[in-house]
Amino acid sequence: MDKVKIIEVKQSVFASNDERADLLRKDLKDKGVFLLNLMSSPGSGKTTTLTKTINLLKDKMKIAVMEADIDSDVDAITIANTGVKAVQLHTGGMCHLDADMTRQGLESLEESDIDLAILENVGNLVCPAEFDTGACKNAMILSVPEGDDKPLKYPLMFSVCDVVLINKVDVADFFDFDMDKCVSNIKMRNKDAVIIPISAKTGEGIEDFVQWLADQVKEWKVK
Ligand SMILES: Nc1nc2c(ncn2[C@@H]2O[C@H](COP(=O)(O)OP(=O)(O)OP(=O)(O)O)[C@@H](O)[C@H]2O)c(=O)[nH]1
Ligand SMILES: [Mg+2]
């Protein structure tokens, strides 16, 4: 039997993605489900970060993950190996998910009582930032090898994010990456963004992200 389900999600036929996104957020609120949308360029460490995060949180809350990619099921299998429910969403070549595609993904999880649903969006610093998925919070990962100038080049991605994880700090010595410059570039785009340097490889900083995430889930459920 296949390890994970693969769902072909279809682009929304609805005119207003923003309205669909607000509706999805309201439904999530009513059900007490917190949805995190995780974005980044390909290979910055989304799946590795999620694996570490899930291992620290899975005994405290019920987690389910949607892995969105143009093809393959490798990320969903990686996440399913942590023991939480994971589905692979195929976007039919699209470089992002919209709110209705996200709703199709949530329905395909076929799970009740989820506390935390996570969407690993398609790896891309442009299109995913343009479409509200209906998530309660947006997270993005910028990894050290990509360079500290990315907030200057991709403003929207940084301005829509609630938290920015600066990943792969374990290899910082091998790159001309200026952490202070990076933080100030992010703050220029989004003064309210929470910034957490991490290494998904060594685990450095992951507990700080887990704490941030657990606080968001708690806050979403009580309000
Ligand atoms: N040195 C180092 N390597 C890392 C770290 N995090 C991830 N990697 C490596 O970076 C590569 C890509 O990691 P993934 O977690 O697959 O990245 P992703 O963002 O999920 O990639 P896509 O889903 O393809 O967009 C893998 O070889 C990881 O082992 C880190 O903190 N440090
Ligand atoms: Mg991945």
Side-chain angles (χ1 to χ4, degrees):
M1 203 183 86
D2 289 340
K3 191 152 193 174
V4 296
K5 231 180 356 175
I6 298 177
I7 310 295
E8 305 288 337
V9 285
K10 302 276 184 293
Q11 197 182 1
S12 176
V13 294
F14 296 97
S16 170
N17 184 61
D18 285 350
E19 277 173 29
R20 301 293 297 170
D22 286 341
L23 195 61
L24 178 55
R25 247 185 313 274
K26 185 183 173 304
D27 290 350
L28 290 167
K29 185 85 190 166
D30 292 344
K31 290 182 187 144
V33 179
F34 179 88
L35 172 63
L36 181 77
N37 175 31
L38 178 59
M39 300 177 282
S40 82
S41 45
S44 67
K46 296 181 292 301
T47 309
T48 313
T49 300
L50 285 182
T51 304
K52 284 275 194 316
T53 301
I54 289 164
N55 284 333
L56 289 175
L57 268 181
K58 66 182 176 189
D59 295 335
K60 301 191 179 88
M61 58 182 72
K62 184 164 174 183
I63 304 172
V65 177
M66 299 172 279
E67 285 290 339
D69 282 297
I70 287 167
D71 207 347
S72 102
D73 57 3
V74 289
D75 282 357
I77 290 171
T78 302
I79 297 297
N81 284 336
T82 67
V84 305
K85 180 82 182 260
V87 290
Q88 183 74 51
L89 310 181
H90 283 174
T91 60
M94 303 277 293
C95 55
H96 65 272
L97 262 77
D98 64 22
D100 218 55
M101 293 159 100
T102 307
R103 186 186 282 278
Q104 292 165 50
L106 285 164
E107 285 167 1
S108 75
L109 285 166
E110 292 174 339
E111 288 278 305
S112 56
D113 306 327
I114 295 171
D115 300 303
L116 169 62
I118 302 172
L119 168 65
E120 181 181 328
N121 215 314
V122 183
N124 181 331
L125 282 185
V126 183
C127 319
E130 291 168 9
F131 289 84
D132 187 345
T133 57
C136 312
K137 295 282 172 176
N138 289 318
M140 78 86 58
I141 299 179
L142 170 63
S143 64
V144 164
E146 293 169 71
D148 50 46
D149 58 356
K150 291 302 160 291
L152 306 178
K153 298 182 179 179
Y154 301 93
L156 187 62
M157 174 56 76
F158 291 86
S159 65
V160 300
C161 277
D162 300 287
V163 62
V164 177
L165 305 177
I166 303 177
N167 190 31
K168 308 195 185 182
V169 294
D170 58 291
V171 295
D173 289 350
F174 301 100
F175 293 88
D176 297 325
F177 185 89
D178 185 330
M179 183 62 83
D180 291 341
K181 204 190 275 178
C182 186
V183 168
S184 98
N185 287 341
I186 295 167
K187 288 285 174 193
M188 188 179 76
R189 296 301 182 200
N190 182 350
K191 65 179 174 36
D192 298 323
V194 173
I195 301 170
I196 309 176
I198 62 164
S199 166
K201 188 184 170 86
T202 66
E204 183 183 342
I206 296 289
E207 280 184 10
D208 293 338
F209 174 54
V210 164
Q211 188 59 55
W212 177 86
L213 190 51
D215 288 347
Q216 303 305 311
V217 174
K218 202 167 151 195
E219 210 175 300
W220 182 255
K221 281 174 172 286
V222 294
K223 258 194 214 158

